[in-house]
Coordinates of all heavy atoms in Angstrom, one line a residue:
R41 N 91.3 94.0 119.6 CA 92.1 93.6 118.4 C 92.7 92.3 118.7 O 93.5 92.3 119.7 CB 92.9 94.6 118.0 CG 93.7 94.4 116.6 CD 94.4 95.6 116.1 NE 95.3 96.2 117.0 CZ 96.7 95.9 117.1 NH1 97.2 95.0 116.2 NH2 97.5 96.5 118.0
V42 N 92.4 91.3 117.9 CA 93.1 90.0 118.0 C 93.8 89.7 116.8 O 93.5 90.1 115.6 CB 92.1 88.9 118.4 CG1 91.5 89.1 119.8 CG2 91.0 88.8 117.4
N43 N 94.9 88.8 116.9 CA 95.5 88.3 115.7 C 94.9 86.9 115.4 O 94.0 86.5 116.0 CB 97.0 88.2 115.9 CG 97.4 87.2 116.9 OD1 96.7 86.3 117.3 ND2 98.7 87.3 117.4
I44 N 95.5 86.4 114.3 CA 94.9 85.2 113.6 C 95.0 84.0 114.6 O 94.3 83.0 114.5 CB 95.5 84.8 112.3 CG1 94.7 83.9 111.5 CG2 97.0 84.4 112.5 CD1 95.1 83.9 110.1
H45 N 95.9 84.1 115.7 CA 96.1 83.0 116.7 C 95.1 83.2 117.9 O 95.2 82.4 118.8 CB 97.5 82.8 117.0 CG 98.3 82.8 115.9 ND1 98.4 81.6 115.1 CD2 99.3 83.6 115.3 CE1 99.3 81.7 114.2 NE2 99.8 83.0 114.2
G46 N 94.4 84.4 117.9 CA 93.5 84.6 119.0 C 94.1 85.5 120.1 O 93.5 85.7 121.2
S47 N 95.4 85.8 120.0 CA 96.1 86.6 121.0 C 95.6 88.1 120.9 O 95.5 88.7 119.8 CB 97.6 86.7 120.7 OG 98.1 85.3 120.8
I48 N 95.4 88.6 122.0 CA 94.9 90.0 122.1 C 96.1 91.0 121.8 O 97.2 90.8 122.5 CB 94.4 90.4 123.6 CG1 93.1 89.4 123.8 CG2 94.1 91.8 123.7 CD1 92.5 89.5 125.2
Q49 N 95.8 91.8 120.9 CA 96.9 92.9 120.6 C 96.6 94.2 121.2 O 97.5 95.0 121.5 CB 96.9 93.0 119.1 CG 97.1 91.6 118.3 CD 98.5 91.1 118.7 OE1 99.5 91.6 118.5 NE2 98.4 89.8 119.2
E50 N 95.3 94.5 121.4 CA 95.0 95.8 121.9 C 93.5 95.8 122.4 O 92.7 95.0 121.8 CB 95.2 96.9 120.9 CG 94.8 98.2 121.1 CD 94.9 99.2 120.0 OE1 95.4 98.8 118.9 OE2 94.7 100.4 120.2
T51 N 93.2 96.5 123.4 CA 91.8 96.6 123.9 C 91.4 98.1 124.1 O 92.2 98.9 124.7 CB 91.6 95.9 125.2 OG1 91.9 94.5 125.0 CG2 90.2 95.9 125.7
I52 N 90.2 98.4 123.6 CA 89.7 99.7 123.8 C 88.5 99.7 124.7 O 87.5 98.9 124.4 CB 89.3 100.4 122.4 CG1 90.5 100.5 121.6 CG2 88.6 101.7 122.7 CD1 90.2 100.9 120.1
T53 N 88.5 100.5 125.8 CA 87.4 100.4 126.7 C 86.4 101.5 126.2 O 86.8 102.6 125.9 CB 87.9 100.8 128.1 OG1 88.9 99.8 128.5 CG2 86.8 100.8 129.1
C54 N 85.2 101.2 126.3 CA 84.2 102.0 125.9 C 82.8 101.7 126.7 O 82.8 100.6 127.3 CB 83.9 102.0 124.3 SG 83.8 100.3 123.7
N55 N 81.8 102.5 126.7 CA 80.7 102.3 127.5 C 79.8 101.1 127.1 O 79.5 100.3 127.8 CB 79.9 103.5 127.5 CG 80.4 104.7 128.3 OD1 81.2 104.5 129.2 ND2 80.1 105.9 127.8
N56 N 79.5 101.2 125.8 CA 78.5 100.1 125.4 C 78.6 99.9 123.8 O 77.8 100.6 123.2 CB 77.1 100.3 125.8 CG 76.1 99.2 125.6 OD1 76.6 98.1 125.2 ND2 74.9 99.3 125.9
P57 N 79.6 99.4 123.3 CA 79.8 99.4 121.8 C 78.7 98.6 121.1 O 78.2 97.6 121.7 CB 81.1 98.7 121.6 CG 81.3 97.8 122.8 CD 80.7 98.5 123.8
C58 N 78.2 99.1 120.0 CA 77.1 98.5 119.3 C 77.6 97.8 118.0 O 77.5 96.6 117.8 CB 76.0 99.6 119.0 SG 74.6 98.9 118.2
V59 N 78.2 98.6 117.1 CA 78.6 98.1 115.8 C 80.0 98.7 115.5 O 80.4 99.7 116.0 CB 77.6 98.4 114.6 CG1 76.4 97.6 114.8 CG2 77.3 99.9 114.6
I60 N 80.8 97.9 114.7 CA 82.1 98.4 114.4 C 82.4 98.2 112.9 O 81.7 97.5 112.2 CB 83.2 97.6 115.1 CG1 83.1 96.1 114.8 CG2 83.0 97.8 116.7 CD1 84.2 95.2 115.6
S61 N 83.3 99.1 112.4 CA 83.7 99.0 111.0 C 85.1 99.5 110.9 O 85.7 100.0 111.8 CB 82.8 99.7 110.1 OG 83.0 99.6 108.7
M62 N 85.8 99.4 109.7 CA 87.0 99.9 109.4 C 87.0 100.8 108.2 O 86.2 100.6 107.2 CB 88.0 98.8 109.0 CG 88.2 97.7 110.0 SD 89.1 98.4 111.5 CE 90.7 98.8 110.8
T63 N 87.7 102.0 108.4 CA 87.7 103.0 107.4 C 88.7 102.5 106.2 O 89.5 101.6 106.4 CB 88.3 104.4 107.7 OG1 89.6 104.3 108.2 CG2 87.4 104.9 108.9
K64 N 88.7 103.1 105.1 CA 89.6 102.7 104.0 C 91.1 103.0 104.4 O 92.0 102.4 103.9 CB 89.4 103.4 102.7 CG 89.6 104.8 102.7 CD 89.3 105.5 101.3 CE 89.6 107.0 101.2 NZ 89.6 107.4 99.8
K65 N 91.3 103.9 105.4 CA 92.7 104.2 106.0 C 93.1 103.2 107.0 O 94.2 103.3 107.6 CB 92.8 105.6 106.5 CG 92.5 106.7 105.4 CD 92.6 108.1 106.2 CE 92.4 109.1 105.1 NZ 92.2 110.4 105.7
G66 N 92.1 102.3 107.4 CA 92.5 101.3 108.4 C 92.1 101.8 109.9 O 92.7 101.2 110.8
E67 N 91.3 102.7 110.0 CA 91.0 103.3 111.3 C 89.7 102.6 111.8 O 88.8 102.3 111.0 CB 90.7 104.7 111.3 CG 91.9 105.4 110.8 CD 91.6 106.9 110.4 OE1 90.7 107.0 109.6 OE2 92.3 107.8 110.7
L68 N 89.6 102.3 113.1 CA 88.4 101.6 113.6 C 87.4 102.7 113.8 O 87.6 103.7 114.4 CB 88.7 101.0 115.0 CG 87.6 100.4 115.8 CD1 87.0 99.2 115.0 CD2 88.0 100.1 117.2
V69 N 86.1 102.4 113.5 CA 85.0 103.2 113.7 C 83.9 102.4 114.4 O 83.7 101.3 114.1 CB 84.3 103.8 112.3 CG1 83.2 104.7 112.6 CG2 85.4 104.5 111.6
Y70 N 83.4 103.0 115.5 CA 82.3 102.2 116.4 C 81.3 103.2 116.8 O 81.6 104.4 117.0 CB 83.0 101.5 117.5 CG 83.6 102.3 118.6 CD1 82.8 102.6 119.7 CD2 84.9 102.8 118.6 CE1 83.3 103.3 120.7 CE2 85.4 103.5 119.6 CZ 84.6 103.7 120.7 OH 85.1 104.5 121.7
S71 N 80.1 102.6 117.1 CA 79.1 103.4 117.6 C 78.8 103.0 119.2 O 79.0 101.8 119.5 CB 77.8 103.2 116.9 OG 77.3 101.9 117.1
E72 N 78.4 103.9 120.0 CA 78.0 103.6 121.3 C 76.5 103.5 121.4 O 75.8 104.3 120.8 CB 78.3 104.8 122.2 CG 79.9 104.9 122.5 CD 80.4 104.1 123.6 OE1 79.5 103.3 124.3 OE2 81.5 104.0 123.8
N73 N 76.0 102.4 121.9 CA 74.6 102.1 121.9 C 73.7 103.0 122.6 O 72.7 103.5 122.2 CB 74.4 100.6 122.4 CG 73.1 100.1 122.2 OD1 72.5 100.5 121.0 ND2 72.5 99.2 123.0
K74 N 74.1 103.5 123.9 CA 73.4 104.3 124.7 C 73.3 105.9 124.1 O 72.3 106.4 124.0 CB 73.9 104.4 126.1 CG 73.6 103.0 126.7 CD 74.0 103.1 128.2 CE 73.7 101.6 128.9 NZ 74.2 101.6 130.2
S75 N 74.5 106.4 123.8 CA 74.6 107.7 123.3 C 74.2 107.9 121.8 O 73.7 108.9 121.4 CB 75.9 108.3 123.5 OG 76.9 107.7 122.7
G76 N 74.4 106.8 121.0 CA 74.2 106.9 119.5 C 75.3 107.5 118.9 O 75.3 107.5 117.6
A77 N 76.3 108.0 119.5 CA 77.4 108.6 118.9 C 78.4 107.6 118.2 O 78.4 106.5 118.5 CB 78.3 109.4 119.9
I78 N 79.1 108.2 117.2 CA 80.0 107.3 116.5 C 81.4 107.9 116.6 O 81.6 109.1 116.5 CB 79.6 107.2 114.9 CG1 78.2 106.5 114.9 CG2 80.6 106.5 114.1 CD1 77.6 106.7 113.5
Y79 N 82.3 107.0 117.0 CA 83.7 107.4 117.3 C 84.6 106.8 116.3 O 84.4 105.7 115.7 CB 84.1 106.9 118.7 CG 83.2 107.5 119.8 CD1 82.0 106.9 120.2 CD2 83.6 108.8 120.4 CE1 81.2 107.5 121.2 CE2 82.7 109.4 121.3 CZ 81.6 108.7 121.8 OH 80.8 109.3 122.7
I80 N 85.8 107.4 116.2 CA 86.9 106.9 115.3 C 88.1 106.7 116.2 O 88.4 107.7 117.1 CB 87.2 107.8 114.1 CG1 88.2 107.1 113.1 CG2 87.6 109.2 114.5 CD1 88.2 107.8 111.7
V81 N 88.9 105.7 116.1 CA 90.1 105.4 116.7 C 91.2 105.6 115.7 O 91.3 104.9 114.7 CB 90.2 104.0 117.3 CG1 91.5 103.8 118.1 CG2 89.0 103.9 118.3
S82 N 92.1 106.7 115.9 CA 93.2 106.9 115.1 C 94.4 107.2 115.9 O 94.5 108.1 116.7 CB 92.9 108.2 114.2 OG 93.8 108.5 113.4
E83 N 95.4 106.4 115.7 CA 96.7 106.4 116.3 C 96.5 106.6 117.9 O 97.0 107.5 118.5 CB 97.5 107.5 115.8 CG 97.9 107.5 114.4 CD 98.7 108.6 113.8 OE1 99.3 109.3 114.6 OE2 98.7 108.7 112.6
D84 N 95.8 105.7 118.5 CA 95.5 105.6 120.0 C 94.7 106.8 120.5 O 94.7 107.0 121.7 CB 96.9 105.5 120.7 CG 97.6 104.2 120.4 OD1 96.9 103.2 120.1 OD2 98.9 104.2 120.4
T85 N 94.1 107.6 119.6 CA 93.2 108.6 120.0 C 91.8 108.3 119.6 O 91.6 107.9 118.5 CB 93.6 109.9 119.4 OG1 95.0 110.2 119.6 CG2 92.8 111.2 119.7
I86 N 90.8 108.5 120.5 CA 89.4 108.3 120.3 C 88.7 109.7 120.1 O 88.8 110.4 121.1 CB 88.8 107.4 121.4 CG1 89.5 106.1 121.5 CG2 87.3 107.3 121.1 CD1 89.1 105.3 122.6
E87 N 88.1 109.8 119.0 CA 87.5 111.1 118.8 C 86.0 110.8 118.3 O 85.7 109.9 117.7 CB 88.2 111.9 117.6 CG 89.6 112.4 117.9 CD 90.1 113.1 116.7 OE1 89.3 113.7 115.9 OE2 91.3 113.0 116.6
N88 N 85.2 111.8 118.8 CA 83.7 111.7 118.5 C 83.7 112.2 117.0 O 84.0 113.3 116.6 CB 82.8 112.7 119.2 CG 81.4 112.5 119.0 OD1 81.0 112.2 117.8 ND2 80.5 112.7 119.9
L89 N 83.3 111.3 116.1 CA 83.3 111.5 114.6 C 81.9 112.0 114.2 O 81.8 112.9 113.4 CB 83.6 110.2 113.9 CG 83.7 110.3 112.4 CD1 84.8 111.2 111.9 CD2 83.9 108.8 111.9
I90 N 80.8 111.4 114.7 CA 79.4 111.8 114.3 C 78.5 111.8 115.5 O 78.6 110.8 116.2 CB 78.9 110.8 113.2 CG1 79.8 110.8 111.9 CG2 77.4 111.1 112.8 CD1 79.5 109.8 111.0
T91 N 77.8 112.8 115.6 CA 76.7 112.8 116.6 C 75.4 112.5 115.8 O 75.0 113.3 115.0 CB 76.6 114.1 117.4 OG1 78.0 114.3 117.9 CG2 75.5 114.0 118.4
T92 N 74.7 111.4 116.2 CA 73.5 111.0 115.4 C 72.4 112.0 115.8 O 72.4 112.6 116.9 CB 73.1 109.6 115.7 OG1 73.0 109.5 117.1 CG2 74.1 108.6 115.1
P93 N 71.4 112.2 114.9 CA 70.3 113.1 115.3 C 69.6 112.6 116.6 O 69.6 111.5 116.9 CB 69.3 112.8 114.0 CG 70.3 112.4 113.0 CD 71.3 111.6 113.6

Side-chain angles (χ1 to χ4, degrees):
R41 183 169 54 96
V42 296
N43 67 16
I44 198 163
H45 306 292
S47 298
I48 295 173
Q49 305 299 303
E50 182 179 359
T51 299
I52 296 170
T53 302
C54 44
N55 290 329
N56 191 3
C58 181
V59 290
I60 61 178
S61 186
M62 298 294 296
T63 68
K64 69 177 185 172
K65 294 179 184 177
E67 300 158 315
L68 173 67
V69 178
Y70 69 93
S71 71
E72 287 275 356
N73 198 27
K74 290 183 181 178
S75 69
I78 297 170
Y79 298 90
I80 187 165
V81 180
S82 178
E83 298 180 20
D84 298 328
T85 302
I86 300 173
E87 296 180 28
N88 186 327
L89 181 65
I90 298 168
T91 301
T92 56

